[in-house]
């Protein structure tokens, strides 16, 4: 295992997570409310999120809130997809929310410019208020000044969805999620303290595996892509693939055997049965699996908040997986201009 001071590793964002979440709730939710005021005045008919990588996965999760609890059509685009296949409906009845941590992902900034030219409301969600293309391009800027991007991007994109739906409709689930969001900091704080040892043990176990299939369904699907593809490949240099539990029978089923390893993310939402079915099948053939079960740590929070909560044990898990392979998750070979792409 790499001998390293974990406080020096940028990948690990558990230290300031709770403070950052609380700050965004107190400081930025009122700003988001003003943007939602404008959405109401404008009678916004369609919502587009645009981002790349981890922020895109957060946006895809927020899109599920719109889809599940409202009639408002919503799509989450990767930047180039928005630019190359721009939706026909893009006008003053649309809002485009571009999310980029450093604000330098040009395809996100260019999407905001294109949306603005078409008359849409534009919002840039980024770390810094000025000095980057995303904050320059957007009409409204939410500069969150934080590093725990998964929690922060989820909070902001969820809040836009929840507050808008809550004001145009009367949905019990939305009210419950809004109420449960207030309990989130305490739940996260407990997990930051209590989940590290178990995740370390699991990370060490998984570090022996040459590759990992990451399986989830429903609201955990975007998180399973973030962790099973982005974190695994970019940060831990571990081969892998993300699979939808609902599709497991159609292809992935045939390769299950000893030596083929799985990480499952199990939610408490309506799709729990599809992931359980997958787990029950895999269990019959191999011991090479790990389950992260929201039911064990949800503290009664709404099923849609699983991606916020499960992130904490997962963050430790991938950190220990990486350093157990003697790899500092901050190290890159190509990304970020090290090699032209
Ligand atoms: O949020 P930004 O600054 O646009 O950066 C996106 C990048 O972040 C990551 O999600 C993690 O580094 C990458 O996959 C992606 O390229």
């Amino acid at each position: 295992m790499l001998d390293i001071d974990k406080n020096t590793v940028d990948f690990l964002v558990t230290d300031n997570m709770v403070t950052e979440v609380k700050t965004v709730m107190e400081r930025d939710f009122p700003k988001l409310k003003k943007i939602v005021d404008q959405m109401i005045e404008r009678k916004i008919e369609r919502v587009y999120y645009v981002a790349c990588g981890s922020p895109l996965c957060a946006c895809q999760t927020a899109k599920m809130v719109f889809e599940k609890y409202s009639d408002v059509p919503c799509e989450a685009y990767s930047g180039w997809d928005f630019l190359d296949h721009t939706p026909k409906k893009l006008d003053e009845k649309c809002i485009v929310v571009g999310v980029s941590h450093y604000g330098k992902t040009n395809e996100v900034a260019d999407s905001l410019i294109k949306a603005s030219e078409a008359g849409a409301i534009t919002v840039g969600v980024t770390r810094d208020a000025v000095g980057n293309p995303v904050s320059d391009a957007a009409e409204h800027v939410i500069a969150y000044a934080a590093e725990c991007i998964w929690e922060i991007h989820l909070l902001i994109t969820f809040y836009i969805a929840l507050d808008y739906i809550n004001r145009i409709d009367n949905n019990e689930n939305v009210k419950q999620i809004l109420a449960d969001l207030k309990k989130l900091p305490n739940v996260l704080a407990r997990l930051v303290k209590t989940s590290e040892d178990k995740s370390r043990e699991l990370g060490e176990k998984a570090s022996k595996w040459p590759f990992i299939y990451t399986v989830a369904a429903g609201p955990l699907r975007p998180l399973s892509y973030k962790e099973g593809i982005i974190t695994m490949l970019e940060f831990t240099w571990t081969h892998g693939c993300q699979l939808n539990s609902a599709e497991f029978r159609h292809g992935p089923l045939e390769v299950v055997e000893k030596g083929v390893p799985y990480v499952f993310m199990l939610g408490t939402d309506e799709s729990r049965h599809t992931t359980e079915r997958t787990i029950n099948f895999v269990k019959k053939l191999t011991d090479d699996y790990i389950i992260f079960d929201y039911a064990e740590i949800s503290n009664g929070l709404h099923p849609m908040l699983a991606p916020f909560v499960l992130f904490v044990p997962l963050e430790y898990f991938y950190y220990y997986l990486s350093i157990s392979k003697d790899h500092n998750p901050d190290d890159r070979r190509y990304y970020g201009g090290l090699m032209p792409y």
Side-chain angles (χ1 to χ4, degrees), residues 52-55 99-103 105 153 230 234-235 332 335:
C52 295
S54 168
V99 187
S100 168
H101 182 53
Y102 295 108
T105 301
H153 293 163
I230 302 170
E234 182 178 332
F235 292 84
R332 298 287 176 279
Y335 183 76

Side-chain angles (χ1 to χ4, degrees), residues 154-168:
L154 274 183
L155 267 184
I156 292 172
T157 54
F158 259 54
Y159 196 74
I160 292 170
L162 294 167
D163 194 34
Y164 191 52
I165 301 169
N166 199 33
R167 292 212 237 162
I168 58 174

Side-chain angles (χ1 to χ4, degrees), residues 267-286:
T268 56
D269 62 288
E270 296 81 347
S271 60
R272 184 174 175 90
H273 72 104
T274 61
T275 306
E276 279 178 334
R277 187 180 180 187
T278 310
I279 292 170
N280 290 337
F281 185 85
V282 165
K283 270 182 174 175
K284 286 187 221 160
L285 297 158
T286 175

Side-chain angles (χ1 to χ4, degrees), residues 35-296:
I35 294 170
V36 175
D37 288 343
Q38 196 187 356
M39 291 171 72
I40 301 281
E41 270 164 38
R42 201 81 80 91
K43 295 191 172 54
I44 286 299
E45 292 170 359
R46 201 167 286 233
V47 177
Y48 297 117
Y49 293 108
V50 184
C52 295
S54 168
L56 175 60
C57 298
C59 293
Q60 288 163 338
T61 320
K63 171 196 145 151
M64 294 181 76
V65 174
F66 272 112
E67 280 180 333
K68 214 166 150 61
Y69 304 123
S70 82
D71 297 327
V72 182
C74 175
E75 190 50 81
Y77 281 90
S78 181
W80 276 116
D81 289 338
F82 189 85
L83 293 170
D84 294 339
H85 302 284
T86 309
K88 183 160 183 290
K89 169 88 178 157
L90 182 63
D91 55 25
E92 67 288 349
K93 293 287 186 192
C94 300
I95 180 167
V96 178
V97 181
V99 187
S100 168
H101 182 53
Y102 295 108
K104 292 178 182 159
T105 301
N106 285 325
E107 56 267 42
V108 176
D110 290 347
S111 298
L112 289 169
I113 293 169
K114 193 165 193 177
S116 182
E117 284 166 2
I121 300 175
T122 58
V123 183
V125 178
T126 185
R127 187 183 60 183
D128 305 316
V130 289
N132 63 80
V134 164
S135 62
D136 289 347
E139 177 186 346
H140 304 282
V141 178
I142 301 294
Y144 49 77
E147 295 301 332
C148 181
I149 63 170
W150 179 249
E151 300 291 342
I152 301 307
H153 293 163
L154 274 183
L155 267 184
I156 292 172
T157 54
F158 259 54
Y159 196 74
I160 292 170
L162 294 167
D163 194 34
Y164 191 52
I165 301 169
N166 199 33
R167 292 212 237 162
I168 58 174
D169 212 345
N170 188 19
N171 185 293
E172 278 314 312
N173 274 291
V174 167
K175 289 190 194 319
Q176 192 58 54
I177 300 170
L178 278 166
D180 282 357
L181 268 186
K182 299 195 179 111
K183 301 177 193 159
L184 193 61
N186 283 342
V187 173
L188 294 179
R190 247 196 317 273
L191 282 171
V192 166
K193 284 212 184 95
T194 57
S195 62
E196 183 170 357
D197 289 348
K198 177 85 189 299
S199 288
R200 179 187 176 122
E201 201 183 291
L202 296 173
E204 284 174 20
K205 170 176 169 167
S207 70
K208 314 276 184 319
W209 295 342
F211 65 94
I212 301 174
Y213 288 116
T214 306
V215 190
L220 287 170
R221 205 133 64 86
L223 175 61
S224 68
Y225 183 92
K226 169 192 162 63
E227 303 291 29
I229 298 290
I230 302 170
T231 301
M232 285 256 300
L233 275 58
E234 182 178 332
F235 292 84
T236 78
W237 294 358
T238 306
H239 290 280
C241 173
Q242 180 261 1
L243 299 169
N244 177 359
S245 321
E247 280 291 301
F248 196 85
R249 189 157 71 96
H250 311 283
L253 188 69
E254 277 303 320
V255 298
V256 179
E257 63 183 358
K258 192 138 193 52
V260 177
Y262 298 88
V263 164
F264 295 101
M265 298 179 190
L266 183 59
T268 56
D269 62 288
E270 296 81 347
S271 60
R272 184 174 175 90
H273 72 104
T274 61
T275 306
E276 279 178 334
R277 187 180 180 187
T278 310
I279 292 170
N280 290 337
F281 185 85
V282 165
K283 270 182 174 175
K284 286 187 221 160
L285 297 158
T286 175
D287 299 328
D288 296 330
Y289 64 87
I290 290 170
I291 304 168
F292 289 92
D293 187 353
Y294 181 49
E296 289 171 6

